Amino acid sequence: MIHFIGAGPGAPDLITLRGAKLLGETDVIIYAGSLVNPALLDRRKDGCQVYDSASMTLEEVLGVMETAEAEGKDTVRLHTGDPSLYGAIREQMDALDAKGIPYDVTPGVSSFSGAAAALRAEYTLPDVSQSVIITRMAGRTPVPEGEGLRKLASHGCTMVLFLSTGLLDQVERELMTGGYAPETPAAIVYKATWPEEKVFRCTVSTLAETARREHITKTALITVGGFLGTDYDRSKLYDPAFTHGCRKGSEP
Ligand code: SAH
């Protein structure tokens, strides 16, 4: 059996209870060494085989899984954050389906949640933004036409950019051409939830300059939007005057 597990964004106690249990019981671990905190490996049992997928191909990863399966062993495939985001798990699952190898998936805390915690922010503020766009700047990995950053920027909503820290000059240009004002608040969150976590608040027009000044080139998320500002409406849910299914408001 193969268990795909979200390791969480970095802090080793941000893996789920289910993920931690499976990690402690498994015979083989294949972990994404470039981003998963190696401290998580301390949970492994004696004799557990460990592979770092950072230098492996998909075929090699599948080979390890297949061998383990033939030997009646369990394998944990440990992905950073939540595996459904930029995790390349679909191709692994499809290959396992084709080979008839069973698997399950345990979700994880994504780094975009870790970044909000680091920022002490709420992505969805009433009257500011009720939508979050999770995307990346097209680089060596292309982005489908129609999802270009400039186009997405036209919504003006909360945006979280993965895998784009090395491309901030283009990010800035696309965001501003698309519709964000240069002074729109932005933040770079480096290694959210790790001991080295750093938060740099800036504006859309100073993203690249900020990253250069602070020497941030990777393992960071770029967050953009009015949610980082000071103005918002309070929620209806906790407004004394507002009636809803669980509470009667003070005014009709
Ligand atoms: N599945 C992961 C994302 C993998 S893509 C998740 O859900 O978080 C890898 C990118 O995620 C990195 O380039 C970086 O942009 C971002 N990232 C991962 N961990 C991070 C962290 N702790 N802090 C900031 N960004 C992080």
Side-chain angles (χ1 to χ4, degrees), residues 113-224:
S113 301
L119 288 160
R120 282 101 173 105
E122 179 177 347
Y123 288 134
T124 52
L125 286 177
D127 215 38
V128 174
S129 180
Q130 291 289 289
S131 311
V132 184
I133 293 181
I134 288 172
T135 188
R136 63 177 298 169
M137 178 78 206
R140 287 208 296 157
T141 303
V143 162
E145 229 189 302
E147 293 179 27
L149 200 52
R150 182 180 307 196
K151 208 167 203 174
L152 297 181
S154 68
H155 296 285
C157 64
T158 299
M159 201 180 269
V160 181
L161 291 162
F162 284 70
L163 298 158
S164 304
T165 317
L167 301 164
L168 288 181
D169 287 302
Q170 290 109 293
V171 166
E172 258 183 48
R173 195 171 55 238
E174 294 301 302
L175 291 177
M176 290 191 289
T177 313
Y180 288 96
E183 62 277 13
T184 305
I188 302 172
V189 184
Y190 172 73
K191 288 204 128 180
T193 81
W194 288 72
E196 314 84 297
E197 171 186 291
K198 283 188 188 130
V199 168
F200 304 105
R201 290 175 194 266
C202 57
T203 66
V204 166
S205 63
T206 59
L207 276 166
E209 173 195 321
T210 305
R212 268 195 290 273
R213 188 185 64 230
E214 305 294 348
H215 308 290
I216 304 297
T217 55
K218 56 178 188 175
T219 329
L221 288 173
I222 311 305
T223 64
V224 174

Side-chain angles (χ1 to χ4, degrees), residues 1 4 15 18 29 53 57 59 61 65 74 82 116-117 127 141 149-150 158 163 172 179 181 184 227 230 238-239 247:
M1 178 83 173
F4 291 95
I15 190 169
R18 187 191 298 179
I29 297 171
S53 64
T57 61
E59 288 70 16
V61 167
M65 291 175 173
D74 272 345
D82 182 78
D127 215 38
T141 303
L149 200 52
R150 182 180 307 196
T158 299
L163 298 158
E172 258 183 48
T184 305
F227 80 99
T230 50
Y238 297 106
D239 182 340
R247 185 171 55 77

